[in-house]
Coordinates of all heavy atoms in Angstrom, one line a residue:
S323 N -17.4 -34.7 24.7 CA -17.2 -34.5 23.3 C -18.4 -33.8 22.7 O -19.5 -33.8 23.2 CB -16.9 -35.8 22.6 OG -15.6 -36.2 22.8
G324 N -18.1 -33.3 21.5 CA -19.2 -32.8 20.7 C -19.6 -33.8 19.6 O -19.5 -35.0 19.8
G325 N -20.0 -33.3 18.4 CA -20.4 -34.2 17.3 C -21.9 -34.5 17.5 O -22.6 -34.0 18.4
T326 N -22.4 -35.3 16.6 CA -23.8 -35.6 16.6 C -24.1 -36.8 17.5 O -25.2 -36.9 18.1 CB -24.3 -36.0 15.2 OG1 -23.4 -37.0 14.6 CG2 -24.3 -34.8 14.3
T327 N -23.2 -37.8 17.6 CA -23.6 -39.1 18.3 C -24.0 -38.9 19.7 O -24.9 -39.5 20.2 CB -22.4 -40.1 18.1 OG1 -21.9 -40.0 16.8 CG2 -22.9 -41.5 18.4
D355 N -12.9 -31.2 23.4 CA -12.4 -30.2 22.4 C -13.5 -29.2 22.2 O -14.7 -29.4 22.6 CB -12.0 -31.0 21.1 CG -13.2 -31.7 20.4 OD1 -14.2 -31.9 21.1 OD2 -13.1 -32.1 19.3
R357 N -14.8 -26.0 19.2 CA -14.6 -25.1 18.0 C -14.3 -23.7 18.6 O -14.9 -23.3 19.6 CB -15.8 -25.0 17.2 CG -15.9 -26.1 16.1 CD -16.9 -27.1 16.6 NE -17.0 -28.2 15.7 CZ -17.2 -29.5 16.0 NH1 -17.2 -29.8 17.3 NH2 -17.3 -30.4 15.1
N367 N -19.5 -27.0 21.2 CA -19.7 -28.2 21.9 C -20.3 -28.0 23.3 O -21.0 -28.8 23.9 CB -18.4 -29.0 22.1 CG -18.0 -29.6 20.7 OD1 -18.8 -29.7 19.8 ND2 -16.7 -30.1 20.6
G424 N -15.9 -39.6 20.6 CA -16.5 -40.1 19.4 C -15.4 -40.5 18.4 O -14.2 -40.2 18.6
M425 N -15.8 -41.0 17.2 CA -14.8 -41.3 16.2 C -15.4 -40.8 14.8 O -16.5 -41.2 14.5 CB -14.5 -42.7 16.1 CG -13.5 -43.1 15.0 SD -12.9 -44.8 15.1 CE -14.3 -45.7 14.6
G426 N -14.6 -40.1 14.1 CA -15.0 -39.6 12.8 C -14.9 -40.7 11.8 O -14.2 -41.7 12.0
H430 N -10.6 -40.0 13.2 CA -10.2 -39.0 14.1 C -11.0 -39.1 15.4 O -12.1 -39.6 15.4 CB -10.2 -37.6 13.6 CG -11.6 -36.9 13.6 ND1 -12.4 -36.9 12.5 CD2 -12.3 -36.3 14.6 CE1 -13.6 -36.3 12.9 NE2 -13.5 -35.9 14.1
T431 N -10.4 -38.7 16.5 CA -11.1 -38.6 17.7 C -10.7 -37.3 18.4 O -9.6 -36.7 18.1 CB -10.8 -39.8 18.7 OG1 -11.8 -39.7 19.7 CG2 -9.4 -39.8 19.3
A432 N -11.6 -36.7 19.3 CA -11.4 -35.4 19.8 C -11.1 -34.5 18.6 O -11.8 -34.7 17.5 CB -10.2 -35.3 20.8
R460 N -9.9 -25.1 16.2 CA -10.4 -25.8 17.4 C -9.3 -25.8 18.4 O -8.1 -25.5 18.2 CB -10.7 -27.2 17.0 CG -11.8 -27.4 16.0 CD -11.9 -28.9 15.7 NE -12.9 -29.2 14.7 CZ -13.6 -30.3 14.6 NH1 -13.4 -31.3 15.5 NH2 -14.5 -30.5 13.7
K483 N -19.8 -45.1 9.5 CA -18.6 -45.5 10.3 C -18.2 -47.0 10.0 O -17.2 -47.4 10.6 CB -18.9 -45.3 11.8 CG -19.4 -43.9 12.1 CD -18.3 -42.9 12.3 CE -18.8 -41.5 12.5 NZ -19.4 -41.2 13.8
Ligands
LIG764 C1 -16.3 -32.9 17.8 C2 -15.7 -34.1 18.4 C3 -15.3 -35.1 17.3 C4 -16.4 -36.1 17.2 C5 -16.2 -37.0 15.9 C6 -17.4 -37.9 15.7 O1 -16.4 -32.0 18.5 O2 -16.8 -32.9 16.6 O3 -15.2 -34.1 19.5 O4 -14.1 -35.8 17.6 O5 -16.5 -36.9 18.3 O6 -16.1 -36.1 14.9 O7 -18.5 -37.0 15.5 P1 -20.0 -37.6 15.2 O8 -20.5 -38.0 16.5 O9 -20.7 -36.4 14.7 O10 -19.9 -38.7 14.2

Side-chain angles (χ1 to χ4, degrees):
S323 278
T326 51
T327 319
D355 63 346
R357 275 100 179 146
N367 287 347
M425 178 172 70
H430 81 263
T431 192
R460 301 173 178 209
K483 308 275 171 73

